[in-house]
Amino acid sequence: MKQDSAPSAPLPPMHCLAAFEALARLGTVARAARELGVSRSALSHSIGLLEHRLQTGLILRYSPAVQLSSAGRTYYEAVHQFVRGIAEGLYELSESSRIPLRLSVSPGMSRLWLSGRLPAFRARHPRIDLSLTVTEGVADVLGHQTDVAIRYGGLAEPGTTSVGLWEETVAPVAAPALAADCAASDLARLVHGVPLLEHRAWAWRDWLARLGRDDLAPAAPVLAGRDLILVLEAAAAGQGVALAPMRLAAPYLKAGRLRRAHASVAPGKPYHAVTASRHLGRPAVSAFLHWLAREAAADAALGGNR
């Protein structure tokens, strides 16, 4: 006669799982306690109770940043999915529940295109709490710090899904007076006769190569920045000619602060939104990706890439 299998061990208390998930995800006791609305001592007590219940150590070090043990890293993967699944299930069932969505965007994309559109997303999805990280770095969407990243160029990593937004075009821009002086210049005079400004993503040498003019070696830029806003502001102040992605530069062009400084235009790389493939079914991720694709298409229909 087949014997009954041994009963499964009960789950640890929910407050212990929530404390561990927040601590491992946020990286410090202070941030985790603040998010959960508990004291540091209460949070530490929950972690101690969890380790006692599991009979294994999860945390190697608490300060200055939390360091998980090997067992802690493995357990976090399961706990994170469990806690998130509960929150998202409740979101589907209750009209008063909320869920977070973490975005990672470059400064230029954030200030020149995305930020002004986010109120429309919040109005459409008022129960999704947006957290926006502005960085030039490439976010790791396979980890747990970012749900969706908006990137310029780059290849999709294994385990990720990319949603195309638009193919960028790149052209020289300058303050109106300087642009007027440069408009009739040939490329050789342009890249040697005026100060050049450059963002690393839109380098003059690469732009000339895309035009098929590898024979022209541009002068060294007088300003090479990592922030598109900085480069465009310098151009608007008359400090030189910058290469600019046309859709992101549109606010400057429409305001008359910048003008096209030459007729030549070269194709750039695509902008795309990236998420871990396993996150595609999550309600917040799905809602944001669909909304973002519609916004990009509507912008293109209005001539946003000219």
Side-chain angles (χ1 to χ4, degrees):
M1 183 176 178
K2 184 178 180 180
Q3 294 183 343
D4 294 336
S5 59
S8 59
L11 283 174
M14 279 300 300
H15 70 88
C16 295
L17 296 177
F20 175 66
E21 192 277 337
L23 181 63
R25 172 169 48 83
L26 297 173
T28 70
V29 173
R31 293 174 64 188
R34 189 181 309 118
E35 178 178 286
L36 296 173
V38 300
S39 67
R40 297 188 184 194
S41 61
L43 186 139
S44 297
H45 177 75
S46 295
I47 299 298
L49 178 58
L50 179 61
E51 291 181 317
H52 176 73
R53 183 68 65 90
L54 297 176
Q55 291 296 294
T56 188
L58 302 174
I59 312 294
L60 292 178
R61 185 178 64 199
Y62 280 92
S63 180
V66 169
Q67 181 180 350
L68 301 182
S69 67
S70 176
R73 291 193 298 272
T74 300
Y75 196 57
Y76 173 65
E77 294 294 328
V79 171
H80 177 73
Q81 293 184 43
F82 176 70
V83 172
R84 189 183 67 208
I86 290 175
E88 293 180 347
L90 186 60
Y91 176 84
E92 300 282 7
L93 294 173
S94 169
E95 294 185 356
S96 62
S97 64
R98 312 180 67 84
I99 51 176
L101 180 68
R102 296 159 299 177
L103 310 175
S104 177
V105 191
S106 70
M109 166 60 79
S110 173
R111 290 177 58 186
L112 297 173
W113 194 86
L114 182 64
S115 293
R117 291 170 166 80
L118 287 181
F121 177 81
R122 290 194 292 266
R124 190 178 185 92
H125 302 280
R127 294 190 292 125
I128 296 178
D129 296 322
L130 295 176
S131 174
L132 180 64
T133 298
V134 178
T135 175
E136 286 286 356
V138 177
D140 178 14
V141 297
L142 293 174
H144 298 291
Q145 298 301 317
T146 299
D147 297 313
V148 178
I150 300 179
R151 296 176 177 172
Y152 176 69
L155 299 175
E157 305 166 48
T160 67
T161 296
S162 174
V163 176
L165 299 178
W166 67 79
E167 297 282 340
E168 191 58 270
T169 55
V170 183
V173 298
L178 180 56
D181 290 340
C182 296
S185 302
D186 60 24
L187 279 178
R189 180 177 179 275
L190 178 68
V191 299
H192 291 289
V194 297
L196 301 181
L197 312 174
E198 181 177 283
H199 184 285
R200 64 176 183 172
W202 299 282
W204 281 95
R205 189 176 298 276
D206 294 342
W207 182 75
L208 289 168
R210 285 177 177 266
L211 287 176
R213 294 303 307 271
D214 316 64
D215 56 305
L216 292 178
V222 299
L223 171 66
R226 296 169 61 90
D227 184 342
L228 179 61
I229 302 294
L230 171 67
V231 174
L232 294 181
E233 285 292 333
Q239 296 179 27
V241 179
L243 285 175
M246 288 292 93
R247 192 174 295 201
L248 293 193
Y252 284 83
L253 296 168
K254 290 176 182 177
R257 298 187 64 201
L258 291 175
R259 290 184 182 172
R260 291 277 298 276
H262 199 271
S264 297
V265 59
K269 299 174 184 178
Y271 272 100
H272 51 115
V274 183
T275 187
S277 300
R278 66 179 184 274
H279 293 167
L280 288 175
R282 293 174 51 198
V285 171
S286 177
F288 184 77
L289 290 178
H290 281 92
W291 171 83
L292 191 64
R294 287 194 300 268
E295 286 292 309
D299 193 37
L302 293 173
N305 205 28
R306 290 204 299 263

